[in-house]
Structure formats: structure tokens, C-alpha cells
Amino acid sequence: MRIEIWADVVCPWAYIGKRRLEAALAGWDGERVEVVWRPFRIDPMAPRKAEPLAEWQIDPLVDEALSACTPDGLSPAENATRVSRIAADAGLGTPFGAVWRADSGPAHRLIALAHERGGAALQDAVVEEVLKAHFVTARDISDPDVLAEAARAAGFADGGDLLASGAGTDRVREDLLRGKAIGVRSSPTLVAGKRALAGAQSPEAMTAFLRDAADTPPERELPEEVERLRLAEALLDKRDPLGALTLLRPLLAEHGTEWSVRVLAARAYYHSAQLERARTELESLTAHSPDDAYLRLLLGRTLERQGRPEDAAPHLRLAAAMRQDEE
């Protein structure tokens, strides 16, 4: 059974959740569990060069930025006090807490690369070193040298060099979009199949989650292309057409003639205001399926947005007539 932990390494609850899951797994007597870490960003606007966290927390917009990592509606100060106490109880030591507002993007790339290179065990070791650097030894985990040191300590000797090469960028970008598509909204969130557990809950709650996931019959595994298409559609439904197009890019390259791929791409072009691309694709689609009311409607609206009402009118009339016939 695979458990995915969607978490940001600058979220203290991710570290506490890691310890609580470890406690749950220590007493687990069920099937073997593989734990894989996936990225989540609570502060995607963090500067590339880290700045003192205390200065940033003065900003009134911080409450909103940290809400994905602050349970129960606590203020950052109240949350920090609570976290320190709980972290000590979890064996993470004192003092506990970050001192830098650090961009976690490079750390997420390192963690993804560790999984690609050495699987779940190496990845877990890297996650541990990164979290320890950020929350225990108060290092700047946006610093490539700090991350390279963490990688070496975890047994990932060439992690720093891979990170410097830019490797892992596409993987993390796609994973972040995948997390958004499946509805991950907070750090940490545990996902097993279609089941999710949000927050760094108690070991007992995590054990119950593991048992529930283990007792649930696994769903039929879909081909990677079908899964990617579904995730792209979910992003479009969440009003992220650019994210949908990012996930569609490999499908457009390899399966660009597939009807479902083309229709979804046309929708994403339209909703991301790439109107000329949308028009070109929709004209081709309607030529092959002239009685598709939805495609006619979308083509008409595309032409309207391009400032071509006379060209749009016939398509809109046809779409309306087709829908009346269906009723």
C-alpha cells in the first residue's frame, strides 16, 4: 500500500506529522506501506534569497499565506507556541522552529530527485535532513550548499550536483498540479487511493486511516495517459487552464490526434485567452463533427471574444438550434 504525503517542508506540521506517522507505522501489523513525499507550497511567493521569518510575520497578509499550515484558525504567534510544545512532545527537541522565510522549491526538487534515484527509503532520509535543517538547526534550506549538505548526510551524494543542473523542475511542477487536481489544500495531507487525511493528526488517527485504506479494495489502475487526461480536466474545472495545458503537453506531443485530448486542449486554450489557438483547433474539430453543439457554441464564443461577431453568429445559431432539437 502506498501513502503519499503532500506537504511543504517549511510547514512545521509536516515534521510533526512525519513523526506521528512513524509512530503509527511502528505498531502497524498490516500490509507493507510505502511512504512517498509529494510537494505542496504554503508560501509560493517566498523570495529566492531567504529573509528573516520574524520580519515577514509582521506583514498582515501572512495569516492568509500560512492558513494552509495553521490549524484551528490560530494566529502565526499562537501557532508557533503550540507547535513548539507539540514538537517537543514528538521528540523533535527544543528549541524548535524556523528562522528563515525560505523558498522551498529547490528542496522539493531535491526530494523528488531522491525518490527517482533511490526510492522511498532515500527520499525519506532526505526529507528528514531537510526538515531538521529548517526547524532544528535553523539553516536556510533555499541555499544550494545547505541542501547539498543535507543530501550527503542522507546518503544522496550527487543530490547537490543534480539540483544545480536544474533537474527535477518539471517533476515538481507536475506534482504540484496533480496535488491541486486531486484536491490537496493543506500541509500535510496523507493520500491513499481516493482517501485522504488532512493535518498532522494523532498516531491513533493515522493508524485508523491506514486500516481504512487497507480495507478498501484498490481501484483499477488506469493507463498513465488516461490518468493525466483526467487530472488536466480536473484542473480546468478548478479554473486553472494553464495548469491543464501543462499536464496535457505530453499528450499533445504523443497523442495529439486523439479527440478527447484535442477537445480538452481547445477548452483550455479558450479559458486561458489563447483565442487564436482555440479558434484553429475548434474549426478543425467542428469540420470533423459539424453536429456537435458544444463545439459550435465554443467556437462562436471564441470568435466573439476575437471581435468577430459576424463570423460567430452562424455558429451560435447552429448551436442554439441543435440544443433545441435535443430537448
Side-chain angles (χ1 to χ4, degrees):
M1 178 172 62
R2 168 178 285 191
I3 302 294
E4 293 183 325
I5 304 178
W6 297 83
D8 199 339
V9 289
V10 297
C11 173
W13 293 103
Y15 208 176
I16 293 168
K18 185 176 189 294
R19 284 292 182 269
R20 290 177 170 178
L21 179 59
E22 289 167 351
L25 290 173
W28 176 246
D29 58 0
E31 64 178 288
R32 179 180 174 275
V33 176
E34 179 189 38
V35 177
V36 178
W37 289 78
R38 302 297 189 196
F40 183 82
R41 300 294 299 273
I42 62 172
D43 185 17
M45 301 304 293
R48 289 192 175 184
K49 181 176 177 57
E51 59 187 27
L53 191 60
E55 294 180 7
W56 178 58
Q57 288 177 337
I58 298 173
D59 191 323
L61 296 179
V62 167
D63 286 1
E64 180 179 352
L66 294 181
S67 62
C69 182
T70 305
D72 304 327
L74 300 178
S75 70
E78 292 170 332
N79 187 52
T81 301
R82 181 185 181 193
V83 163
S84 295
R85 174 179 55 79
I86 294 175
D89 292 342
L92 294 174
T94 56
F96 179 90
V99 299
W100 295 103
R101 182 193 180 194
D103 176 10
S104 62
H108 285 305
R109 288 199 290 118
L110 180 67
I111 290 166
L113 290 167
H115 187 261
E116 289 181 2
R117 179 60 60 90
L122 180 60
Q123 186 188 49
D124 183 76
V126 169
V127 170
E128 180 68 29
E129 291 298 328
V130 170
L131 290 170
K132 182 169 67 175
H134 188 62
F135 292 108
V136 178
T137 58
R139 307 288 298 280
D140 170 13
I141 61 167
S142 66
D143 186 328
D145 292 335
V146 171
L147 289 175
E149 182 180 330
R152 287 192 296 271
F156 188 18
D158 56 348
D161 291 337
L162 286 171
L163 198 63
S165 73
T169 300
D170 291 342
R171 174 75 270 168
V172 169
R173 182 184 298 116
E174 287 204 355
D175 278 349
L176 287 168
L177 289 171
R178 178 176 165 238
K180 182 177 181 179
I182 66 176
V184 176
R185 297 181 180 178
S186 61
S187 170
T189 296
L190 277 63
V191 175
K194 296 297 183 181
R195 298 188 176 277
L197 181 71
Q201 298 195 28
S202 69
E204 294 75 19
M206 290 190 174
T207 298
F209 172 73
L210 290 171
R211 293 199 181 283
D212 191 28
D215 291 341
T216 302
E219 295 187 342
R220 182 172 61 88
E221 189 171 340
L222 297 173
E224 193 276 335
E225 295 83 1
V226 176
E227 181 68 16
R228 182 177 286 271
L229 188 69
R230 289 189 176 184
L231 292 171
E233 189 166 18
L235 286 174
L236 193 55
D237 291 343
K238 293 177 184 292
R239 300 183 180 181
D240 185 359
L242 292 177
L245 286 168
T246 297
L247 291 187
L248 280 175
R249 192 174 297 131
L251 297 182
L252 288 168
E254 298 179 19
H255 307 281
T257 60
E258 292 290 334
W259 187 263
S260 57
V261 174
R262 294 178 63 194
V263 171
L264 190 58
R267 291 173 57 202
Y269 290 142
Y270 173 80
H271 288 290
S272 61
Q274 299 182 63
L275 299 179
E276 188 58 24
R277 285 187 171 184
R279 181 191 64 78
T280 300
E281 190 63 76
L282 287 165
E283 285 181 341
S284 176
L285 289 167
T286 54
H288 285 83
S289 184
D291 57 348
D292 190 311
Y294 174 75
L295 293 176
R296 285 284 182 191
L297 177 64
L298 196 57
L299 176 56
R301 288 180 175 175
T302 298
L303 290 166
E304 280 186 327
R305 290 179 66 185
Q306 287 187 307
R308 299 167 58 181
E310 292 182 358
D311 293 329
H315 297 290
L316 295 175
R317 284 196 299 268
L318 279 170
M322 290 177 196
R323 291 192 170 186
Q324 285 180 352
D325 291 342
E326 291 175 359
E327 294 175 358

